[in-house]
Amino acid sequence: MDIGMLVNNSEFYDGFEDDHEIELFINEDTALSVHIWEGYFSDIFGEPSFDGEGWYGFTRDFQQCERTFEEKDVDINVNEYLLDLLNYKNKTFRFEETKDCYELMRTFLEYAKANSKTVKVNWW
């Protein structure tokens, strides 16, 4: 896996500096980070299923304004948040760039999982 694309990646936040930002970073190496505009995040997690299975991961945090949307430097359970993200793999997004943002987030979490890294999240 090419981790070069994970080094301080702000591709999906550049140009939106006046809006909210979500940052995912590897605790052991903060240079490995992904910065995401809240609009892309909302496009992914903003319309979850209401099938009664319950929300977890970013869906729970985003919909209920808790954990990663309430505190700073929150450690996440990489397996839980990756599993949640994978629920949206076939979703049709409003913004053309959201699919690439989704793939970057998936790559980031898969890298962390494969290398037993701790991921932290900040929201501004």
Side-chain angles (χ1 to χ4, degrees):
M1 176 182 302
D2 177 20
I3 65 166
M5 65 188 241
L6 303 179
V7 175
N8 291 320
N9 188 314
S10 62
E11 174 183 359
F12 297 104
Y13 186 67
D14 292 345
F16 298 104
E17 287 81 2
D18 292 333
D19 293 339
H20 290 291
E21 169 188 9
I22 295 92
E23 176 191 24
L24 287 69
F25 63 96
I26 302 291
N27 190 48
E28 298 85 357
D29 184 356
T30 57
L32 294 177
S33 62
V34 175
H35 303 261
I36 303 165
W37 172 52
E38 186 181 29
Y40 295 135
F41 211 83
S42 176
D43 200 13
I44 296 169
F45 300 103
E47 297 178 13
S49 169
F50 290 100
D51 66 5
E53 297 295 317
W55 294 333
Y56 54 93
F58 284 121
T59 301
R60 176 199 57 228
D61 296 358
F62 186 75
Q63 293 297 322
Q64 298 175 193
C65 294
E66 60 185 47
R67 289 190 40 77
T68 57
F69 284 87
E70 181 179 55
E71 306 169 32
K72 299 290 185 208
D73 291 338
V74 176
D75 286 346
I76 64 169
N77 177 318
V78 174
N79 291 326
E80 173 188 339
Y81 283 70
L82 179 59
L83 185 62
D84 178 43
L85 182 65
L86 292 174
N87 286 322
Y88 298 94
K89 67 182 173 191
N90 295 319
K91 182 178 178 182
T92 301
F93 301 112
R94 291 178 301 161
F95 305 113
E96 184 177 322
E97 300 86 357
T98 304
K99 185 67 173 177
D100 292 335
C101 180
Y102 169 90
E103 292 298 331
L104 180 63
M105 288 178 62
R106 184 185 53 76
T107 298
F108 184 87
L109 293 174
E110 287 175 346
Y111 168 81
K113 180 179 177 179
N115 292 281
S116 301
K117 300 292 185 183
T118 304
V119 173
K120 290 188 176 253
V121 178
N122 279 321
W123 176 78
W124 289 272

